[in-house]
Amino acid sequence: MALTGGIASGKSAVAQLFDNLGVPVLDTDRIARDVVEPGLPAFAEIVTAFGRDVLDASGRLDRRRLRDRVFADPAQRRLLESITHPAIRAELARRSTAAGGAYQIHVIPLLVEGGRSDVYDRVLVVDCPEEQQIERLMARDKSNAEQARSILAAQATREQRLDAADDVIVNTGTLADLEQFVLTLHQNYENLAINA
């Protein structure tokens, strides 16, 4: 199962709830951080493509500086993705094989943008109104409304994500509401896995 949603929609909270139920959860954001560690091939490619000014004082990627740069320039964003996406997919496949389970949740924020929703049997979208995403993003990242809107504009639209969805969690309620949605989906997913 693929889990996706716009930035600050609540994907991490949903993923944690599945993890709490014992479901193997593989988060491509975490994998993306792992594959760009110093000494790995993707790290070297990024430094070659973007220069040493994307590194922090310790010689690691300055993710915020790199993010600001690529969100300001679609060509640079595509270049970064051409380096990181193959490395992320290879590591996701490796970890998925090792994880096992009746079913797994693969958290892929840019699933729709990457044109990969057809790779999965089911797509779960965490959804909320755009204004709520902007408020959450500003609070979480201390960004301003313009920066938040720019990040949203670089992602698939809400409608595009919903079109790709087999299941949708509307994350506008309480944590208890979210827990109930996840529990219901977990039971459904286990039944689908048994009958597959």
Side-chain angles (χ1 to χ4, degrees), residues 2 4 18 20 23 26 33 54 65 68 71 96 108 119 122 128 131-132 138-139 142 145 154-155 170 178 181:
T4 194
F18 276 106
N20 294 348
V23 178
L26 304 173
R33 285 189 287 278
V54 298
R65 186 180 305 153
D68 290 346
F71 275 114
S96 178
I108 308 175
V119 172
R122 295 192 75 78
C128 69
E131 287 307 313
Q132 196 167 23
M138 289 169 56
K142 308 294 185 252
Q155 295 188 339
V170 179
L178 207 55
F181 283 134

Side-chain angles (χ1 to χ4, degrees), residues 32-67:
R33 285 189 287 278
D34 293 345
V35 300
V36 297
E37 284 295 308
L40 295 177
F43 174 85
E45 289 181 56
I46 291 169
V47 173
T48 298
F50 292 94
R52 298 196 62 80
D53 64 321
V54 298
L55 302 180
D56 64 19
S58 70
R60 303 176 89 77
L61 281 182
D62 183 327
R63 295 177 61 80
R64 182 178 211 118
R65 186 180 305 153
L66 184 59
R67 182 186 72 184

Side-chain angles (χ1 to χ4, degrees), residues 14-111:
V14 169
Q16 184 59 56
L17 291 170
F18 276 106
D19 184 66
N20 294 348
L21 293 168
V23 178
V25 174
L26 304 173
D27 187 332
T28 58
D29 274 350
R30 287 187 195 136
I31 293 171
R33 285 189 287 278
D34 293 345
V35 300
V36 297
E37 284 295 308
L40 295 177
F43 174 85
E45 289 181 56
I46 291 169
V47 173
T48 298
F50 292 94
R52 298 196 62 80
D53 64 321
V54 298
L55 302 180
D56 64 19
S58 70
R60 303 176 89 77
L61 281 182
D62 183 327
R63 295 177 61 80
R64 182 178 211 118
R65 186 180 305 153
L66 184 59
R67 182 186 72 184
D68 290 346
R69 186 167 161 183
V70 301
F71 275 114
D73 183 343
Q76 289 206 353
R77 188 178 79 244
R78 286 190 296 275
L79 175 59
L80 179 62
E81 290 169 352
S82 75
I83 296 168
T84 57
H85 286 187
I88 294 165
R89 287 181 189 134
E91 183 61 14
L92 176 62
R94 188 192 70 70
R95 291 183 189 188
S96 178
T97 299
Y103 75 94
Q104 298 175 358
I105 297 291
H106 292 187
V107 183
I108 308 175
L110 301 178
L111 179 76

